[in-house]
Amino acid sequence: MLTLLSMFYYICLRRRSRSGTRGEALTSRRAVESGQRATLPISVEVEQYAKEVLDFSSHYGSENSMSYTMWNLAGMPNVYPSSGDFTQTAVFRAYGTWWEQCASAPLPFRRTPKAFHSQDYIELAFEEPVYPTAVEVLETYHPGAIVQIMACSLNPFSQNPPTDVRWEVLWAEEPTKVLTPQARQFSPSIKQLSFPTNLIRVEVNSSLLKYYTELDAVVLRGQKERPILSLYKMPRIDICDLSDSDEELSDPGASFRQAGDGKHINLGNGYFDKLPYELIQLIVSHLTLPDLCRLTQTCKLLHQHCCDPLQYIQLSLQPYWSRLSDTSLGHLQGRCTLLQRLNLSWTGNRGALTLTGFSSFMKACGGSLVCLELSCCHFLSEPCLEVISQTCPGLQELNLSSCDRLHPQAFTHISKLTQLRRLVLYRTKIEQTAMLSILTFCIELRHLNLGSCVMIDDYDVVASMLAVRCRSLRSLDLWRCRNLTERGLAELAAGCRLLEELDLGWCSTLQSSSGCFQHLARNLPCLRKLFLTANRTVCDSDIEELAANCPALQHLDILGTRMVSSSSLRKLLQACPKLLLLDVSFCSQVDARIVQELCGLFPNVAIKKSFTQ
């Protein structure tokens, strides 16, 4: 009897103790929310505009000017609250979905998470690290592209960078379609950080937009001191604390149930291992990469399936750029022996990947690679490209877009990749000697992007070499090449008769009076996309030649010409039934009324007409 009374007394004391603990927690919480918080000092909120643009994936502007470039996002707003198309804003290179419809577009990667929507990004540094309370983006034209805002623990102005660089998502959503192109101040509700930051990354997806999005400035608001509610760690009251028992009893035999005859039936895997090997492989193939890695830890059967090299024929690591390191590549190395397509775009920056880690992975897994995406990979160096040229003999696609920190000499190693069919060198520092070497040996090229490659001295020589060595060329991007003349264009049109896409946007040295555009139309009957952006000399005779000789034309950009009338545009629209995009922005002879009329007559064509207020 004494023992029973003692146990009863002990249980009562324990319950009282636990009830008191919960009561104290609730009392403490009320005190913080009401009285105590008011007595603590209030931190002053700091408002600051971006001090410097550190990195970005693309921009509409030139590398040697400020018009339409990402550098316009540094400092105070230039345009806001005005709406319209202004050169003082930041504009990304692409918009809409029609870029993906072009022959030069790469195939999408399997296993890309549905939550990953980002297509472009920009990283901005601010003067003072703060605990963010708000991030405001001033959008001045066709808003709605922003899909994610991130913060970094690294202070880019510090002399002692941390060894562990952390990125946290402040806000993320799916792409949205804003009905009006008018300016707005975008300030989503952001999460609270446990560290101060002065490095913000804005990621965008412009696929739903009708025209280029334009950003004017970014404001970071925050407190220098950590917010009070973050300093106070709220006691966690779990529903289990309200039960009478001290702990939940587990049922170690939950996977077994007793049959009527007293025998135990194993229901552990539900006979999953009885399924055909191929069927389990198919089921597992629908998982994202993190889920695939987690599933390996469940049982030997699923470990075998999740580590099968056939699950890693394609591998896109771009969605996980903020977490990828040498260690990550090391863990994947044994599974990627049959790897054919690899996407490392945006990865490895600020020391996350090294030459050692990258080289080890490529030597183990690069033998079967046919596609390698390395856009904005600033860890790349000349030895990295040398490793690629040695370990990937069958490589057919290589994307080095915006790898603008690669030394010009590094590009000479690309000439060893003689099977190349698609090469993207947008915004790189490749020089003429290396480019001619590549064209000498890589004669299988189908798609070549040299947009904004400002280090090439003579594009006429490059065009002439293309005409001689790469007669199977299907697409060529010469966006903002600064010295192509009618001579080089004539040789290109004569030698590369299979061209379907040609971007001559902002090539100011080309003059319609020389007849170069008419000659182009007569020699390229397969043309589907032609950009003559900002060439003020394009005239009616050029448009009529396109109408007469290029019936497959789908995309035409003649933004800025002053010599094209509505009559020639009408002929073009009637002669080219496959036309999907026609940009006549700032064409002085084509006003809004004419555009509205043409849109009514040809509803399947997206006729673009931007404006400035």
Side-chain angles (χ1 to χ4, degrees), residues 78-147:
N78 300 307
V79 173
Y80 188 84
S82 298
S83 300
D85 191 342
F86 292 90
T87 60
Q88 303 96 318
T89 57
V91 184
F92 290 98
R93 180 68 184 88
Y95 71 93
T97 58
W98 59 271
W99 295 79
E100 302 168 4
Q101 302 167 5
C102 297
S104 58
L107 295 174
F109 277 78
R110 285 167 31 198
R111 280 206 171 93
T112 300
K114 292 182 179 180
F116 181 74
H117 306 290
S118 303
Q119 296 176 333
D120 278 295
Y121 73 86
I122 182 168
E123 292 181 2
L124 302 164
F126 295 79
E127 182 70 35
E128 299 183 58
V130 295
Y131 293 91
T133 56
V135 176
E136 299 172 0
V137 184
L138 306 183
E139 303 173 274
T140 55
Y141 198 38
H142 288 279
I146 300 171
V147 294

Side-chain angles (χ1 to χ4, degrees), residues 599-611:
C599 287
L601 294 173
F602 305 94
N604 295 328
V605 185
I607 304 177
K608 306 299 181 181
K609 180 71 173 178
S610 64
F611 69 95

Side-chain angles (χ1 to χ4, degrees), residues 339-340 366-372 388-398 416-422:
L339 187 63
Q340 295 180 8
S368 302
L369 272 183
V370 295
C371 174
L372 182 57
I388 293 172
S389 67
Q390 293 172 349
T391 60
C392 308
L395 197 65
Q396 297 180 13
E397 299 182 43
L398 178 61
K416 302 172 188 175
L417 301 170
T418 56
Q419 304 300 313
L420 274 182
R421 294 185 171 222
R422 175 174 165 264

